Amino acid sequence: MNLNSGYGGSLIQARSNLSIGIIILIAIIIAIILAALWFLSKIFLNYKKSEKYINKQKNKLTKHSDVVKFCKENKFNNKQASLLWEVFSITKSPNIKFFFNSYNDVIELFRKAIAKFSEIGIDDEDLFQLFQLEYKLELILSKKKGLLSTTGIPVNAILLYISDTGDQLPFGLIKNNQDAMYFEIPEHFYKSPNKPKSYIKQRFIYKNNEGVTYNFVARIIRFTEIKKEEKSLYVMVVSHTDKLFSTAQRNFKREFCDYGCHILPVKITINPANSKAVYNFTNNLHKSRVTNISAGGCCIQSNMPLKEKQNIGIILDDMNIEEKIVGNVKKTRRLPNGEFALHIQFVKISIKTKNEILKRIYKYEI
């Protein structure tokens, strides 16, 4: 009996050919599906990068899950994460994922939040935590957008030249190239016999338009006089440096200032009954001035030759702060004018006074 078909092939071969065809067809279908998925994902990814999508996302209100994700990525503790959610919730601010692009964004967010919290009532401890949270966000931005070299300082910026006596003189940056920085200086400074000599290192302060302050030390190369339209232009040429120290690298936000203050001796004893410190102030006040300050400490210029590790009482008269703060002298530098720069860490200061200092630094009126 002949089991072959009329076409000369066996039934087994027919089934085999059919199976191969099905496999090929399935493979083609899978390939088409994968290609379609790839194409659609490409379109979606391009859309997510588009200005239309980003603007749409920017305008969405921040959700709690958005804040949680942001805080995990930036290593916030639970208390900080909870407080940040309260800030975004009370201000009804847009998407946190796109929010923090500049220091001005941070400042305006917290200015708005603190104003709203103040309307419903806020105690000193919560206000202090808000200030600290604001500063933490500034630190995050500082790492992302920090100035790496003085070559990045824009022309027409005003920098503070710090003299050996601690005076702060504003000089305009008129030229900045890869070789050096060129500052326009006043004629009296140029012709002064007390101006620094060439190749001497000097301290400068630069504050960008977003309020971030940088300190650096750079070498003065030379002074020169340039004739421009029949007028003399006096120029100080300064070398570049990549060793910039941002005040956003400290534990507290700091402000360079010039406030009158008084310092006075203080004796610290321990009460044997409860082991608490007792502070005994004298009435021997010495007029001094604060040249920079934060909620954690300050620098005071005084004629008092205080030793390092010595405790001192501080009254910030010009800042309208009545509390007698207790500080510890961490470092003493003798200045060319015979006075001393006292670098002080606060060891006894109330939360209320810390907030008064921070309000002044952030220029808040609460």
Side-chain angles (χ1 to χ4, degrees), residues 227-353:
K227 292 293 183 180
K228 187 176 182 181
E229 298 177 358
E230 299 182 355
K231 291 183 179 180
S232 292
L233 186 68
Y234 303 98
V235 177
M236 179 175 67
V237 185
V238 179
S239 66
H240 282 301
T241 180
D242 58 0
K243 294 180 174 60
L244 294 99
F245 182 82
S246 168
T247 53
Q249 294 168 342
R250 297 178 180 268
N251 293 326
F252 297 96
K253 192 176 180 73
R254 181 171 295 263
E255 179 187 46
F256 290 88
C257 56
D258 188 8
Y259 297 127
C261 71
H262 283 91
I263 59 175
L264 63 159
V266 59
K267 184 178 180 181
I268 303 177
T269 57
I270 302 298
N271 186 338
N274 54 19
S275 299
K276 290 185 178 181
V278 178
Y279 303 91
N280 299 297
F281 299 92
T282 71
N283 293 321
N284 190 12
L285 299 177
H286 297 275
K287 182 68 176 175
S288 305
R289 62 191 180 102
V290 181
T291 56
N292 70 65
I293 192 167
S294 75
C298 65
C299 182
I300 291 178
Q301 189 167 321
S302 175
N303 58 8
M304 293 296 293
L306 299 182
K307 296 179 181 179
E308 294 180 4
K309 298 183 180 180
Q310 183 174 342
N311 294 312
I312 183 176
I314 305 157
I315 303 174
L316 301 172
D317 310 73
D318 278 8
M319 297 178 69
N320 296 319
I321 293 174
E322 297 179 357
E323 179 184 357
K324 291 178 181 176
I325 302 168
V326 178
N328 184 264
V329 181
K330 307 303 289 185
K331 184 179 179 181
T332 299
R333 290 187 297 112
R334 190 180 186 93
L335 300 171
N337 64 356
E339 292 192 334
F340 299 87
L342 311 173
H343 298 267
I344 295 167
Q345 180 181 7
F346 297 149
V347 295
K348 179 184 175 292
I349 180 172
S350 67
I351 289 287
K352 181 179 179 180
T353 296

Side-chain angles (χ1 to χ4, degrees), residues 41-168:
S41 65
K42 193 77 173 174
I43 293 175
F44 181 68
L45 288 173
N46 288 335
Y47 172 65
K48 287 188 73 174
K49 294 178 182 178
S50 68
E51 190 173 337
K52 181 180 178 181
Y53 176 83
I54 291 173
N55 287 333
K56 185 178 179 181
Q57 295 301 309
K58 282 181 179 179
N59 294 327
K60 284 185 176 180
L61 290 180
T62 295
K63 297 180 294 185
H64 183 259
S65 58
D66 297 328
V67 174
V68 170
K69 184 178 180 182
F70 177 87
C71 291
K72 282 184 178 179
E73 290 173 350
N74 293 285
K75 298 179 180 178
F76 282 40
N77 60 38
N78 291 337
K79 188 173 182 179
Q80 291 168 334
S82 177
L83 187 56
L84 186 60
W85 166 241
E86 287 188 50
V87 168
F88 271 86
S89 180
I90 199 170
T91 57
K92 294 181 170 42
S93 294
N95 202 328
I96 190 173
K97 290 187 255 184
F98 301 92
F99 192 83
F100 297 119
N101 294 312
S102 71
Y103 294 94
N104 290 332
D105 290 340
V106 177
I107 291 169
E108 288 307 312
L109 172 67
F110 278 82
R111 192 180 297 277
K112 187 177 177 181
I114 288 174
K116 287 186 174 293
F117 282 126
S118 299
E119 290 174 3
I120 60 177
I122 182 172
D123 60 27
D124 287 325
E125 180 60 37
D126 288 339
L127 178 59
F128 181 70
Q129 292 303 322
L130 282 167
F131 279 130
Q132 289 302 93
L133 182 62
E134 178 173 358
Y135 186 54
K136 185 175 178 67
L137 291 167
E138 289 182 14
L139 287 175
I140 293 170
L141 276 174
S142 177
K143 292 177 182 177
K144 292 180 180 178
K145 302 175 65 175
L147 186 65
L148 301 178
S149 168
T150 51
T151 56
I153 300 176
V155 172
N156 298 324
I158 303 297
L159 282 77
L160 293 178
Y161 164 94
I162 310 300
S163 71
D164 291 336
T165 58
D167 294 321
Q168 302 178 12

Side-chain angles (χ1 to χ4, degrees), residues 198-215:
S198 298
Y199 299 103
I200 292 293
K201 287 186 175 181
Q202 208 70 34
R203 187 169 158 228
F204 295 84
I205 298 172
Y206 166 60
K207 189 172 184 178
N208 68 15
N209 57 8
E210 293 181 326
V212 182
T213 304
Y214 294 90
N215 293 272

